[in-house]
Amino acid sequence: MRSSRVLAEQLSTASRCTIPRVRQTRGYAQAKKTPAAKHQSQGFKGNKNKGDDARKKLKVDNVGLFKPLPVNQLTDPVFKSDYRSSLTLPTYSPEALTDAAIGLAMEFPMSENEAIRAYGVPKNLLIEFRVLSKPCSVVRDVTLKAVDTLDAAGMTPSRDTRLIMTGPSGCGKSYLLLQTVEYATHNNWIVLYIPRAIQLVNSSTTYVYDPRTRTYHQPEYSYQLLRRFLSVNSTALQNITSREDLPLGDHTIPAGSPLTELVEAGIHNKDLASVVLSALMSELSQQSTYPVLLAVDDAQALYGYSSYRDPHYRTLMAQHLSIPRLLLEYASGKKSFPRGAFFGAASTAHTSFLMPLEMCEALGLPPSRPTSPYTPRSPDMVSYAQGLRNFPVPAQLSINEAAALFDVWMSDNALHSGEVRQNGELVAAPNDELFMTKYCEASGNARAFVWKGLLSTLGSL
Amino acid sequence: MNVAKRMVNAAVRSRSYATMYVPPASLENVVVRRQTPKRTPESPNFYTGRAAYFDQVNALELALQHTRSALQTLQLLPLPSFVRESIPPGHHVWLTKLGLTEMLNAPLTTSRYRRLLGLLNQLDNYRRIAEVAGVEGLASRVADVLEIFERENKEAFLARGKRKPVEFDEYGRSYTVGRRKESAARVWAIAVQKQTPDAPSASTEDQPLDPLPQLTPTITSAMGDSPLPPTEITSTNVLINNIPLSQFFPLPADRERVVRPLKIAGLVGAYNIFALVRGGGTTGQSGAISLGIAKALAAHVPDVEPLLRRAKLLRRDPRMAERKKTGRAKARKAYTWVKR
């Protein structure tokens, strides 16, 4: 118990890839906040001697929004701390995903090695999970479709199943990818989930040129990725043995040793993390005991230019960085797992990393700008994008799915409309008119329905 | 002498038995005048010089006389004053003086025209009394008489200044226009069609062996034991310039303004809306669409009109941008006052 808490704290304090501090109940029995542990980061660090402690406290989490205050600080009766309720929903599990489950909200099981805890989730999902009392999602018909595709892909090489989930902004692509990842982890798949691929290319993590591979390694990111990968997939990795020797500077990891040793070698020494990561991926590409899911959210950021610069101040393309290149190779089918799939989700959140023309054409989507046959298309990008299949996520929620979503927010006492006077005070009593009007205003779009409709409305009727 | 001559001549002329001898030579230069027989004039009013006019007047007075006697027989005349006041007023649109002149083919002065109008109004009063009393035959005959003197575009004349009723096309779509500030929106509304639930498909399996005999239940419940069939919920799709509402208006305030008429009428999910909007900014466009939708709902469901009217959704907001004035920076903003 103690060791797992320490691990959780270390993971949270030292990371750039954030782990959400998600709890079972909102603020009940919250552990007292410990000061941030000293984090050792390598690479260039300016202002080394100035205000280290204050800086470290700030760097605990990138997303500082919607963090619940502890109950003992909320003493005023207006907060109604005694009336806090928690959602009671069925647990999301592979067995529960039947046709009858469409239109049901299910909570994600938050075990110690859960993928959500270890890998993190995209920023907007993180905020929602913080606001809700439990991380949950609604099972849609596309969920079953994605999960069926995943099941079918479990027997075939990943080259045959390379999907990108696309759709308009706010339609539920990231949620769908997360549901697929959770399904895979609970179905004994090996899962590598990158919730924010944008952090690979937006120059937020250290990078160093490697003349051997002639790409730029990202040692910090590789280290964090290996740690999380180990925490999620440790049981599977113990059963897989490496097939080749891996020389690592002063020592060598012999063939036949379990992959956990390989990964721990990369964790103990950050300089070797990048090498270990690529070796790990090549080992996984040779085993067929476990199917492997490579899931990348914000996948369109890997196709195009990054924010990094080389020493001559030229912009680097994402493919010049080792980790994005690795992901691109699996996405394009140049490398493949004997059993597994590549699932990506396009994101519309970052306008500086829009879906490029080559990817639009590969997926059969209309490009964002008018193009002609004379518009230059990078041949590298075309080769990395070829063979990707579009997995469209419907723009509209069905009424039943929207009703389940409405129920989740209503049960969590998050709605403030439809106030009715009861016992001398105003109590929110959401009704079907609120549901229908907000659904209509959102045109069925999930994010617009919840955030712009239910939570942002100023109308009290 | 003249008197004597005259007397003789008169005597000669009056003597019918005595023929006058006329020598043949003087008969040669005689011009025989054709004797046209005197015809009786068509109208007894011929000698008034304005036969057509007086014919009409006489006819109307005759009609008035007959109607009056009929109403008196039915004891509808004379009416007490409170009854007369309670009869709904008449909306008559008689021919103009020019029109009547053309009809009569005779010149008509103003005083004669007004006399005719007086008779027509009187007849119309009797017609209204008969109509209210329920004497359909009499009322319709009098109306037939009066119709001759009414203008052709009577309906259009009476409806001038009033709003045209909203028309529906062959698919049941209404077309309305809403305006706000500088924006104009054209709105088509069509009722959402519920999908009829499919009848349970007949199973292709064979009948099970020997169905059990149906037992008649001895206990009956008022509501029945079978669960209620699930109600099918339809949703309203709003397309503006062929773009869904959530994409066209990013602000929640604009979206709520567009959906408000449906919400207040309680018709969210009942109608699909397609709108073309142009001009102005977001607030103007959303307000224009809202007015168009409110008018459409009032046309589809007239019961809802008082609700929308009380909610001020059927009112075209008259506020427009105030003009800039000379000597001022904007409509009201003044330049900085300088003491010297």
Side-chain angles (χ1 to χ4, degrees):
Chain A
M1 189 61 185
R2 169 88 189 149
S3 59
S4 61
R5 261 184 59 194
V6 166
L7 177 67
E9 277 164 12
Q10 279 178 353
L11 286 173
S12 65
T13 54
S15 68
R16 295 279 183 164
C17 321
T18 58
I19 303 178
R21 291 233 180 135
V22 191
R23 290 179 181 79
Q24 295 288 338
T25 59
R26 253 190 305 187
Y28 276 129
Q30 179 169 339
K32 208 171 164 208
K33 276 194 183 244
T34 52
K38 280 206 175 214
H39 80 251
Q40 313 120 25
S41 66
Q42 295 175 357
F44 176 71
K45 198 165 82 171
N47 301 325
K48 203 165 184 174
N49 299 320
K50 287 186 194 173
D52 271 344
D53 293 324
R55 268 261 184 96
K56 277 166 197 167
K57 277 213 170 74
L58 281 172
K59 275 183 187 166
V60 164
D61 239 319
N62 273 335
V63 181
L65 300 169
F66 297 107
K67 291 178 96 173
L69 289 171
V71 183
N72 51 8
Q73 287 186 14
L74 301 171
T75 48
D76 198 285
V78 78
F79 294 113
K80 295 186 188 171
S81 302
D82 300 335
Y83 297 101
R84 289 200 180 196
S85 63
S86 187
L87 285 171
T88 46
L89 298 168
T91 311
Y92 183 89
S93 66
E95 300 81 36
L97 289 183
T98 57
D99 277 339
I102 294 179
L104 282 183
M106 293 189 176
E107 61 170 282
F108 293 116
M110 296 301 288
S111 60
E112 281 296 333
N113 299 327
E114 198 63 31
I116 295 179
R117 276 183 188 270
Y119 289 122
V121 288
K123 204 190 272 194
N124 48 344
L125 268 67
L126 176 65
I127 289 172
E128 275 203 34
F129 290 166
R130 279 188 184 164
V131 175
L132 288 170
S133 55
K134 283 190 185 150
C136 58
S137 68
V138 172
V139 174
R140 295 167 70 178
D141 47 359
V142 278
T143 313
L144 295 188
K145 232 190 278 185
V147 150
D148 290 339
T149 316
L150 193 71
D151 281 336
M155 294 298 140
T156 55
S158 74
R159 190 175 292 121
D160 298 341
T161 318
R162 293 172 282 127
L163 304 180
I164 301 282
M165 289 160 185
T166 58
S169 170
C171 69
K173 305 177 285 291
S174 297
Y175 261 105
L176 184 61
L177 191 64
L178 184 66
Q179 285 174 331
T180 320
V181 161
E182 282 288 307
Y183 179 88
T185 42
H186 289 285
N187 245 358
N188 293 323
W189 281 54
I190 293 179
V191 174
L192 181 63
Y193 176 44
I194 293 171
R196 304 180 202 181
I198 212 103
Q199 290 184 336
L200 281 166
V201 293
N202 66 354
S203 180
S204 60
T205 181
T206 53
Y207 71 127
V208 65
Y209 182 69
D210 177 37
R212 183 179 66 88
T213 52
R214 297 202 291 173
T215 56
Y216 286 82
H217 285 317
Q218 288 162 302
E220 183 65 45
Y221 196 98
S222 314
Y223 162 70
Q224 294 299 336
L225 196 57
L226 283 174
R227 291 178 62 165
R228 283 145 179 69
F229 186 79
L230 182 64
S231 83
V232 174
N233 302 298
S234 51
T235 40
L237 288 177
Q238 261 160 8
N239 298 337
I240 304 172
T241 52
S242 58
R243 296 188 188 208
E244 288 161 7
D245 293 339
L246 182 64
L248 290 172
D250 50 350
H251 66 287
T252 316
I253 296 181
S257 50
L259 286 183
T260 44
E261 268 189 41
L262 182 70
V263 176
E264 274 155 10
I267 291 172
H268 287 311
N269 196 345
K270 277 191 200 175
D271 297 331
L272 305 170
S274 313
V275 174
V276 165
L277 183 64
S278 50
L280 172 70
M281 295 304 279
S282 63
E283 289 294 340
L284 290 174
S285 312
Q286 291 167 27
Q287 60 82 37
S288 52
T289 329
Y290 291 91
V292 183
L293 171 65
L294 182 51
V296 180
D297 209 327
D298 258 338
Q300 88 287 345
L302 304 175
Y303 291 82
Y305 284 93
S306 71
S307 304
Y308 287 104
R309 301 271 181 178
D310 72 351
H312 297 285
Y313 206 67
R314 287 177 298 203
T315 322
L316 293 179
M317 291 189 83
Q319 72 206 57
H320 300 148
L321 300 152
S322 64
I323 303 181
R325 185 187 215 107
L326 194 67
L327 301 174
L328 284 172
E329 279 166 350
Y330 284 98
S332 60
K334 294 188 168 113
K335 290 188 183 172
S336 171
F337 304 111
R339 288 171 64 197
F342 175 88
F343 274 34
S347 171
T348 50
H350 301 100
T351 49
S352 41
F353 294 98
L354 293 172
M355 192 181 282
L357 171 62
E358 295 89 350
M359 199 175 176
C360 290
E361 284 181 341
L363 296 172
L365 298 170
S368 49
R369 287 201 186 114
T371 54
S372 73
Y374 300 103
T375 317
R377 290 154 176 85
S378 154
D380 290 333
M381 282 300 122
V382 171
S383 73
Y384 281 128
Q386 64 94 25
L388 287 174
R389 269 195 297 139
N390 186 17
F391 189 89
V393 180
Q396 287 198 345
L397 289 170
S398 77
I399 292 258
N400 292 334
E401 292 158 6
L405 202 53
F406 183 86
D407 273 335
V408 163
W409 288 93
M410 187 175 68
S411 316
D412 229 2
N413 300 325
L415 303 183
H416 57 273
S417 292
E419 288 182 326
V420 177
R421 198 162 276 279
Q422 270 180 15
N423 304 329
E425 58 180 29
L426 284 173
V427 170
N431 52 11
D432 59 341
E433 184 184 86
L434 176 70
F435 168 71
M436 289 301 292
T437 43
K438 295 309 166 192
Y439 181 81
C440 172
E441 283 164 25
S443 308
N445 185 283
R447 186 193 296 157
F449 177 62
V450 173
W451 289 95
K452 289 274 177 79
L454 295 176
L455 302 181
S456 301
T457 180
L458 294 177
S460 57
L461 290 170
Chain B
M1 179 55 190
N2 276 339
V3 173
K5 213 187 224 179
R6 246 185 276 134
M7 280 175 68
V8 166
N9 286 343
V12 164
R13 263 187 256 120
S14 64
R15 271 183 295 168
S16 55
Y17 57 88
T19 54
M20 294 241 337
Y21 173 69
V22 181
S26 14
L27 281 176
E28 287 164 16
N29 296 327
V30 170
V31 172
V32 179
R33 257 188 239 149
R34 230 177 302 151
Q35 293 278 343
T36 54
K38 271 198 177 171
R39 288 174 300 164
T40 52
E42 304 120 4
S43 153
N45 292 319
F46 176 78
Y47 293 103
T48 61
R50 284 150 189 72
Y53 168 71
F54 280 104
D55 280 346
Q56 286 292 350
V57 167
N58 287 349
L60 282 172
E61 281 178 347
L62 193 66
L64 260 174
Q65 198 183 337
H66 287 320
T67 319
R68 198 183 300 120
S69 66
L71 288 175
Q72 275 170 349
T73 320
L74 294 166
Q75 293 184 338
L76 288 169
L77 273 182
L79 275 181
S81 57
F82 70 91
V83 179
R84 241 181 219 283
E85 276 150 28
S86 68
I87 291 170
H91 304 287
H92 45 73
V93 186
W94 306 125
L95 285 167
T96 51
K97 193 169 95 165
L98 243 82
L100 263 176
T101 313
E102 264 175 68
M103 201 177 93
L104 298 175
N105 273 330
L108 202 64
T109 60
T110 309
S111 49
R112 292 195 179 105
Y113 174 66
R114 285 179 60 172
R115 188 179 166 192
L116 259 178
L117 281 194
L119 291 170
L120 289 169
N121 286 334
Q122 183 68 29
L123 205 55
D124 195 45
N125 284 345
Y126 288 162
R127 181 195 61 81
R128 277 172 27 233
I129 293 170
E131 209 173 279
V132 168
V135 190
E136 297 290 342
L138 178 63
S140 60
R141 266 178 299 180
V142 174
D144 289 339
V145 168
L146 291 172
E147 209 181 335
I148 305 162
F149 297 93
E150 279 175 350
R151 254 189 264 188
E152 279 162 3
N153 56 342
K154 183 189 176 190
E155 261 85 52
F157 189 83
L158 286 173
R160 78 193 188 290
K162 287 186 204 157
R163 207 179 286 179
K164 278 192 293 184
V166 177
E167 283 164 5
F168 298 89
D169 67 0
E170 73 261 29
Y171 300 110
R173 296 179 295 208
S174 67
Y175 170 67
T176 49
V177 170
R179 277 181 259 265
R180 170 102 214 271
K181 284 191 193 177
E182 295 285 320
S183 312
R186 302 147 73 200
V187 175
W188 288 265
I190 185 170
V192 173
Q193 277 151 15
K194 291 204 174 197
Q195 284 171 344
T196 50
D198 296 325
S201 54
S203 59
T204 51
E205 302 162 25
D206 295 328
Q207 281 283 334
L209 350 141
D210 291 358
L212 292 170
Q214 298 294 324
L215 300 168
T216 50
T218 50
I219 303 166
T220 51
S221 66
M223 284 191 32
D225 295 325
S226 56
L228 294 168
T231 46
E232 191 207 324
I233 302 167
T234 50
S235 68
T236 291
N237 290 319
V238 180
L239 282 179
I240 303 165
N241 293 358
N242 213 18
I243 296 168
L245 171 62
S246 60
Q247 220 172 316
F248 193 81
F249 288 123
L251 285 180
D254 292 326
R255 293 177 189 171
E256 284 174 17
R257 204 177 287 124
V258 166
V259 174
R260 190 167 296 134
L262 294 159
K263 176 179 164 178
I264 292 199
L267 292 171
V268 183
Y271 293 92
N272 282 329
I273 309 286
F274 183 85
L276 292 175
V277 70
R278 170 203 246 169
T282 48
T283 306
Q285 288 189 342
S286 58
I289 295 167
S290 165
L291 179 59
I293 293 177
K295 284 187 191 175
L297 292 179
H300 276 276
V301 185
D303 288 340
V304 136
E305 192 179 334
L307 289 171
L308 294 173
R309 203 167 282 286
R310 259 178 257 135
K312 297 176 204 156
L313 290 169
L314 281 175
R315 182 172 177 258
R316 193 267 194 236
D317 198 330
R319 297 178 289 177
M320 300 286 278
E322 196 173 315
R323 65 156 279 199
K324 182 205 180 302
K325 284 113 192 167
T326 53
R328 298 235 173 202
K330 290 166 65 184
R332 302 274 176 112
K333 178 186 178 182
Y335 296 116
T336 311
W337 176 77
V338 179
K339 199 162 181 179
R340 283 174 186 90

